[in-house]
Amino acid sequence: MRTTTLGTHGPEVGVIGLGAMGMSFAYDMAAPRDEATSVSVLHQALDLGMTLIDTADVYGPHTNEELLGRALADRRERAVIATKVGLEAVDPTGGPGGSPLVRPNGRPEHVRTAIDASLRRLGTDHIDLYQLHRVDPEVPLEETWGAMAAAVTAGKARYLGLSEVGVEQIRRAGAVHPVTTVQSEFSLWTRDVRAEVLPYCERHGIGFLPFSPLGRGFLLGRFASFDDLPPSDQRRRLPRFQQDNLRANLAIVAKVRDVADRVGATPAQVALAWLVAQGQHVVPIPGTKTPKYLADNAGGADLLLTPADLADLDALPTAVGARY
């Protein structure tokens, strides 16, 4: 796979990475998790050149980092591990549908404790990219970011990133310590970051990591109705997946499929190739726990869309319904 750097001065990674969250958390929680398959997918991702592996301490909580620690123990040097701090699970089953109930925690003392715990779970002496999962409205961003910067000084983290932030928050953090990456939802049905955040990142040499780049699976045409979602799946709570909105959003799926048929690719490859074409600083991190889908996603790195293809995709209608 072709490579790029995360921002101007960040580590070298494949142009498409891997989000590990779904291996332990969030989607179809009633289905048993197959650790052997997840480990195989993580190994296959490295073999395919998808070297950026993204997780968070709150996924599980904790179990996703533990999974990565076991899977990457004998190939740590091949992976660029990105994890996050700033959300904590206050009740493992107290959230909607029995999901973990989480809240922001950006207190410096929490950051100092959390990174040591993440290092233990990941079985490593450093985190390649340490990201602030959400800004805590009760704690000045400069204090949280300063604690994360101290982890870099101590050798516990190498680079720092932000998640789900606006331009002003990126500026404030950057005044304390360089921002290597920003992570936000970005896909063919979630394009609001193109207005301000994405151009700012490009101008300032900051890498951009789109999460949910396949629209949580919707852009692949897997869900024709609300009833297609597993009973324990968190997507059942999202506005875009409610029946009327979902039905309207199928027009986006159809147009992605049209482009895919025209270029001889899959919808996943088209959706990811569109993101990669947004700039060399853009590295999507699609999640999967299935070898077949992983290989399909990797194929998006080699698909070069024509200007006409990109224009057709840019013209897709706006998604109906809020993200959350």
Side-chain angles (χ1 to χ4, degrees), residues 9-11 65 76 80-85 111-112 114-120 122 124-132 144-162 177-178 180-181:
H9 303 292
E65 286 187 331
R76 171 65 182 92
V80 176
I81 296 178
T83 193
K84 309 180 196 75
V85 65
V111 173
R112 290 190 287 268
I115 192 167
D116 288 338
S118 286
L119 290 170
R120 287 195 299 271
L122 291 164
T124 186
D125 63 356
H126 73 276
I127 292 163
D128 297 298
L129 177 64
Y130 201 41
Q131 303 164 97
L132 180 57
T144 307
W145 197 249
M148 295 173 68
V152 175
T153 301
K156 296 178 181 181
R158 292 189 172 168
Y159 303 95
L160 300 183
L162 292 160
H177 184 90
T180 297
T181 60

XYZ file of all heavy atoms in Angstrom, residues 9-11 65 76 80-85 111-112 114-120 122 124-132 144-162 177-178 180-181:
403
model
N 4.985 16.398 10.094
C 6.102 15.823 10.850
C 5.743 14.525 11.573
O 6.517 14.048 12.408
C 6.618 16.842 11.874
C 7.035 18.149 11.262
N 8.133 18.257 10.434
C 6.484 19.379 11.355
C 8.258 19.519 10.041
N 7.275 20.224 10.582
N 4.592 13.933 11.270
C 4.170 12.730 11.969
C 4.755 11.465 11.393
O 5.559 11.491 10.451
N 4.357 10.316 11.926
C 4.899 9.032 11.470
C 4.374 8.648 10.102
O 3.320 9.110 9.653
C 4.408 8.049 12.536
C 3.138 8.670 13.051
C 3.384 10.151 13.028
N -8.123 -2.193 23.840
C -6.679 -2.011 24.006
C -6.013 -3.326 24.399
O -4.917 -3.646 23.910
C -6.394 -0.950 25.069
C -6.660 0.473 24.625
C -6.216 1.501 25.639
O -6.213 1.192 26.861
O -5.867 2.620 25.232
N 5.040 -5.371 17.286
C 4.797 -3.996 17.714
C 5.476 -2.977 16.812
O 4.907 -1.908 16.523
C 5.302 -3.820 19.160
C 5.302 -2.373 19.681
C 3.886 -1.834 19.766
N 3.835 -0.451 20.207
C 3.829 0.601 19.404
N 3.868 0.421 18.092
N 3.760 1.817 19.891
N 1.597 1.409 13.930
C 1.502 2.754 14.490
C 0.217 2.762 15.324
O -0.893 2.789 14.781
C 1.465 3.830 13.390
C 1.271 5.216 13.995
C 2.755 3.789 12.571
N 0.374 2.678 16.631
C -0.774 2.540 17.522
C -1.284 3.909 17.921
O -0.547 4.747 18.445
C -0.407 1.728 18.776
C -0.030 0.288 18.393
C -1.562 1.733 19.770
C 0.393 -0.565 19.568
N -2.578 4.124 17.679
C -3.252 5.355 18.073
C -4.334 5.004 19.080
O -5.207 4.179 18.796
C -3.874 6.039 16.855
N -4.270 5.592 20.252
C -5.337 5.395 21.223
C -5.776 6.760 21.738
O -5.234 7.795 21.353
C -4.922 4.448 22.359
O -6.097 4.064 23.103
C -3.910 5.067 23.300
N -6.784 6.754 22.601
C -7.403 8.009 23.017
C -7.646 8.031 24.525
O -7.790 6.985 25.164
C -8.737 8.214 22.307
C -8.695 8.057 20.798
C -10.066 8.278 20.182
C -10.127 7.756 18.756
N -10.193 6.272 18.703
N -7.732 9.247 25.033
C -8.067 9.516 26.421
C -9.096 10.638 26.428
O -9.225 11.361 25.436
C -6.802 9.927 27.218
C -6.245 11.262 26.717
C -7.065 9.973 28.716
N -5.500 12.149 32.905
C -4.619 11.873 31.769
C -3.372 11.123 32.234
O -2.956 10.136 31.609
C -4.229 13.187 31.057
C -3.172 12.918 29.988
C -5.457 13.833 30.426
N -2.787 11.575 33.328
C -1.554 10.931 33.817
C -1.801 9.480 34.215
O -0.960 8.601 33.954
C -0.992 11.735 35.001
C -0.415 13.085 34.599
C 0.333 13.720 35.744
N -0.561 14.220 36.776
C -1.053 15.461 36.828
N -0.741 16.322 35.871
N -1.838 15.838 37.812
N -4.402 7.594 33.115
C -4.939 6.847 31.982
C -3.855 6.388 31.026
O -3.928 5.274 30.484
C -5.971 7.700 31.248
N -2.845 7.217 30.784
C -1.834 6.786 29.815
C -1.036 5.615 30.350
O -0.689 4.693 29.597
C -0.923 7.946 29.383
C -0.097 7.500 28.157
C -0.043 8.436 30.519
C 0.600 8.612 27.431
N -0.774 5.608 31.639
C -0.053 4.462 32.203
C -0.888 3.188 32.077
O -0.358 2.103 31.771
C 0.295 4.726 33.669
C 1.400 5.756 33.828
O 2.175 5.964 32.868
O 1.490 6.372 34.909
N -2.194 3.303 32.297
C -3.062 2.134 32.159
C -3.124 1.675 30.698
O -3.103 0.465 30.418
C -4.458 2.467 32.671
N -3.187 2.624 29.759
C -3.210 2.244 28.343
C -1.917 1.549 27.946
O -1.933 0.559 27.198
C -3.432 3.485 27.466
O -4.771 3.932 27.552
N -0.798 2.040 28.421
C 0.485 1.406 28.107
C 0.515 -0.036 28.611
O 1.004 -0.934 27.917
C 1.631 2.215 28.713
C 1.914 3.569 28.065
C 2.895 4.366 28.911
C 2.470 3.393 26.654
N -0.010 -0.260 29.805
C -0.034 -1.630 30.343
C -0.927 -2.520 29.476
O -0.543 -3.645 29.133
C -0.546 -1.626 31.790
C 0.441 -1.081 32.807
C 0.011 -1.445 34.221
N -1.304 -0.879 34.548
C -1.497 0.331 35.078
N -0.452 1.123 35.308
N -2.713 0.754 35.363
N -1.831 -2.159 26.362
C -1.285 -2.312 25.016
C 0.042 -3.053 25.000
O 0.532 -3.429 23.937
C -1.116 -0.935 24.365
C -2.427 -0.211 24.014
C -2.157 1.262 23.741
C -3.096 -0.864 22.814
N 3.095 -1.988 25.679
C 4.125 -1.220 24.992
C 4.673 -0.145 25.920
O 4.052 0.184 26.942
C 3.550 -0.573 23.715
O 4.585 0.064 22.983
C 2.466 0.442 24.041
N 5.818 0.397 25.561
C 6.396 1.465 26.382
C 6.099 2.853 25.842
O 6.487 3.855 26.441
C 7.909 1.278 26.535
C 8.650 1.366 25.206
O 7.986 1.502 24.152
O 9.895 1.293 25.218
N 5.411 2.911 24.705
C 5.024 4.220 24.161
C 3.811 4.072 23.257
O 3.589 3.007 22.665
C 6.175 4.863 23.381
C 6.427 4.199 22.058
N 7.199 3.062 21.927
C 5.982 4.500 20.803
C 7.237 2.697 20.658
N 6.504 3.550 19.955
N 3.045 5.131 23.170
C 1.915 5.216 22.251
C 2.336 6.124 21.109
O 2.832 7.226 21.329
C 0.671 5.753 22.972
C 0.171 4.718 23.991
C -0.437 6.100 21.980
C -0.774 5.261 25.019
N 2.145 5.665 19.887
C 2.601 6.453 18.741
C 1.788 7.734 18.575
O 2.350 8.796 18.287
C 2.520 5.605 17.466
C 3.448 4.408 17.533
O 4.669 4.600 17.635
O 2.940 3.270 17.509
N 0.466 7.633 18.718
C -0.403 8.798 18.567
C -1.411 8.781 19.709
O -2.286 7.914 19.761
C -1.125 8.755 17.213
C -2.125 9.891 16.951
C -1.424 11.249 16.906
C -2.887 9.646 15.640
N -1.284 9.741 20.603
C -2.177 9.824 21.764
C -3.173 10.951 21.503
O -2.798 12.103 21.309
C -1.368 10.105 23.028
C -2.065 9.721 24.309
C -2.793 8.540 24.407
C -1.976 10.529 25.440
C -3.414 8.169 25.584
C -2.593 10.171 26.629
C -3.307 8.987 26.696
O -3.933 8.612 27.869
N -4.467 10.598 21.496
C -5.490 11.536 21.058
C -6.464 11.886 22.186
O -6.815 11.031 22.997
C -6.288 10.921 19.901
C -5.436 10.499 18.709
C -6.202 9.560 17.804
O -6.777 9.975 16.799
N -6.229 8.274 18.152
N -6.909 13.127 22.185
C -7.953 13.545 23.107
C -9.297 13.192 22.483
O -9.699 13.771 21.473
C -7.861 15.052 23.377
C -8.907 15.611 24.341
C -8.853 14.898 25.691
C -8.732 17.115 24.503
N -5.721 20.035 29.851
C -5.725 18.649 29.359
C -4.578 18.421 28.389
O -3.831 17.443 28.491
C -7.054 18.341 28.662
O -8.153 18.657 29.515
C -7.128 16.875 28.267
N -4.443 19.327 27.429
C -3.420 19.183 26.396
C -2.024 19.282 27.000
O -1.088 18.597 26.566
C -3.635 20.246 25.321
C -2.941 19.992 24.028
C -1.889 20.688 23.507
C -3.253 18.974 23.058
N -1.531 20.175 22.279
C -2.355 19.134 21.983
C -4.212 17.967 23.006
C -2.384 18.306 20.866
C -4.231 17.149 21.887
C -3.333 17.315 20.839
N -1.869 20.117 28.016
C -0.577 20.224 28.694
C -0.183 18.918 29.359
O 0.996 18.535 29.334
N -1.145 18.222 29.952
C -0.854 16.919 30.560
C -0.478 15.901 29.491
O 0.410 15.059 29.700
C -2.053 16.434 31.367
N -1.135 15.970 28.339
C -0.779 15.064 27.250
C 0.604 15.399 26.698
O 1.384 14.503 26.365
C -1.848 15.134 26.153
C -3.212 14.625 26.607
S -4.540 14.870 25.389
C -4.028 13.741 24.097
N 0.925 16.694 26.620
C 2.255 17.096 26.170
C 3.327 16.595 27.133
O 4.431 16.216 26.713
C 2.328 18.614 26.036
N 3.016 16.578 28.418
C 3.974 16.056 29.399
C 4.254 14.578 29.158
O 5.364 14.096 29.414
C 3.440 16.284 30.812
N 3.254 13.847 28.659
C 3.465 12.435 28.335
C 4.445 12.283 27.179
O 5.216 11.322 27.130
C 2.127 11.778 27.984
N 4.423 13.228 26.237
C 5.408 13.205 25.154
C 6.799 13.475 25.712
O 7.773 12.777 25.378
C 5.037 14.244 24.068
C 6.127 14.296 22.999
C 3.691 13.902 23.441
N 6.910 14.460 26.560
C 8.206 14.782 27.169
C 8.752 13.587 27.942
O 9.967 13.326 27.926
C 8.055 15.990 28.109
O 7.560 17.107 27.368
C 9.387 16.351 28.747
N 7.863 12.829 28.584
C 8.278 11.664 29.369
C 8.562 10.442 28.507
O 8.983 9.403 29.032
C 7.208 11.327 30.396
N 8.324 10.525 27.200
C 8.566 9.391 26.307
C 7.445 8.380 26.275
O 7.586 7.322 25.648
N 6.298 8.699 26.894
C 5.180 7.762 26.909
C 4.329 7.849 25.646
O 3.582 6.925 25.318
C 4.308 8.006 28.136
C 5.037 7.750 29.456
C 4.150 8.039 30.648
C 4.901 7.800 31.956
N 4.037 8.064 33.144
N 4.378 8.980 24.967
C 3.674 9.181 23.700
C 4.608 9.924 22.759
O 5.494 10.665 23.199
C 2.391 9.971 23.915
N 4.416 9.727 21.465
C 5.288 10.383 20.488
C 4.618 11.570 19.802
O 5.271 12.561 19.527
C 5.768 9.356 19.457
C 6.710 8.344 20.090
C 7.378 7.436 19.089
N 8.400 6.622 19.743
C 9.008 5.578 19.180
N 8.690 5.216 17.937
N 9.912 4.902 19.842
N 3.325 11.441 19.497
C 2.597 12.518 18.831
C 1.224 12.630 19.476
O 0.710 11.672 20.070
C 2.443 12.228 17.331
C 3.743 12.023 16.608
C 4.257 10.737 16.413
C 4.467 13.106 16.111
C 5.455 10.538 15.742
C 5.667 12.918 15.437
C 6.158 11.636 15.263
O 7.349 11.447 14.602
N 0.611 13.821 19.334
C -0.693 14.076 19.936
C -1.719 14.448 18.880
O -1.406 15.114 17.893
C -0.599 15.219 20.953
C 0.348 15.029 22.135
C 0.257 16.234 23.074
C 0.064 13.738 22.886
N -2.964 14.010 19.115
C -4.053 14.329 18.208
C -5.315 14.708 18.959
O -5.455 14.455 20.163
N -6.234 15.353 18.246
C -7.525 15.768 18.775
C -8.634 15.033 18.038
O -8.453 14.602 16.900
C -7.717 17.273 18.591
C -6.824 18.198 19.408
C -6.791 19.583 18.773
C -7.315 18.285 20.842
N 1.190 22.724 22.390
C 2.019 21.634 21.861
C 1.513 21.327 20.450
O 0.313 21.414 20.195
C 1.899 20.395 22.754
C 2.790 19.265 22.330
N 4.081 19.108 22.788
C 2.560 18.235 21.475
C 4.611 18.032 22.231
N 3.715 17.493 21.435
N 2.398 20.950 19.525
C 1.949 20.696 18.153
C 0.840 19.645 18.065
O 0.874 18.615 18.738
C 3.226 20.201 17.456
C 4.336 20.827 18.235
C 3.864 20.845 19.663
N -0.651 16.916 15.804
C -0.248 16.085 14.665
C -1.445 15.662 13.831
O -1.368 15.623 12.599
C 0.525 14.850 15.152
O 1.733 15.283 15.791
C 0.892 13.925 13.995
N -2.576 15.347 14.483
C -3.762 14.876 13.756
C -5.030 15.424 14.378
O -5.076 15.777 15.560
C -3.875 13.338 13.760
O -3.969 12.885 15.123
C -2.700 12.681 13.063
